[in-house]
Amino acid sequence: MVLAGDAPRHTRYSCWVTRQDDTYVMLYNDNRYEFDISRATAPAIGGPWTPDPGNPVITGEGTPWAHRLEDCTVVRRGGEYLVFVDDLCYSQGTPYGIPLYRTRDIREGPIEFGELFVPEPDTRGRFRWDSGSLGTPGACLAPAGRVLL
């Protein structure tokens, strides 16, 4: 939950917390915005959490997944934060893609679109994920700076 003024406010979907220097940063789906990612910061993991005045910080504006972003996972690699986002682009057999956003300053900098990961179909034209879609990607940093999705 984050503060909206002095009132606590529940987030709509799950959140991801990371740390930059001495500040905790939470990316979350706020129930004030339909499927966009917002940001809040706090001096300690227990809060108090303060929403970014520029929320939402990731909207997907100008993309097929505009205002259809749900959960996200954050990985820090080489001084850069990679934000992998679950989107709601599943339509007519087209699988979810995994939008990747990037920033060097997760605390207050802009978070910009980097690229979209889309699975390759197998030889029969089916996608390798059983359901033909992907929900809530998880990412972690693996050896040699690789990111495991």
Side-chain angles (χ1 to χ4, degrees):
M1 108 175 34
V2 296
L3 293 178
D6 291 330
R9 173 175 196 84
H10 292 277
T11 59
R12 183 173 185 178
Y13 283 95
S14 63
C15 61
W16 189 267
V17 176
T18 190
R19 189 173 174 180
Q20 181 176 332
D21 301 323
D22 60 350
T23 303
Y24 288 87
V25 180
M26 175 174 46
L27 297 180
Y28 61 97
N29 188 308
D30 188 341
N31 60 12
R32 290 180 298 169
Y33 307 103
E34 187 173 347
F35 300 112
D36 290 328
I37 305 296
S38 292
R39 171 173 49 200
T41 57
I45 194 73
W49 290 95
T50 305
D52 188 309
N55 279 336
V57 294
I58 302 175
T59 64
E61 198 64 48
T63 69
W65 57 90
H67 310 293
R68 293 190 169 113
L69 302 171
E70 286 192 293
D71 305 316
C72 65
T73 301
V74 181
V75 173
R76 185 170 184 202
R77 180 178 71 180
E80 179 178 50
Y81 293 88
L82 306 175
V83 182
F84 296 90
V85 181
D86 181 11
D87 71 87
L88 298 173
C89 287
Y90 187 75
S91 140
Q92 299 177 352
T94 302
Y96 286 92
I98 305 172
L100 166 63
Y101 288 79
R102 301 171 181 269
T103 186
R104 292 211 174 271
D105 182 359
I106 194 88
R107 182 177 43 210
E108 54 191 16
I111 302 173
E112 299 173 340
F113 175 69
E115 59 189 289
L116 179 67
F117 293 100
V118 176
E120 295 291 325
D122 65 17
T123 56
R124 292 181 276 174
R126 293 185 304 188
F127 293 96
R128 294 186 184 122
W129 295 317
D130 292 343
S131 67
S133 65
L134 175 70
T136 313
C140 64
L141 193 59
R146 296 175 187 237
V147 175
L148 178 63
L149 282 174

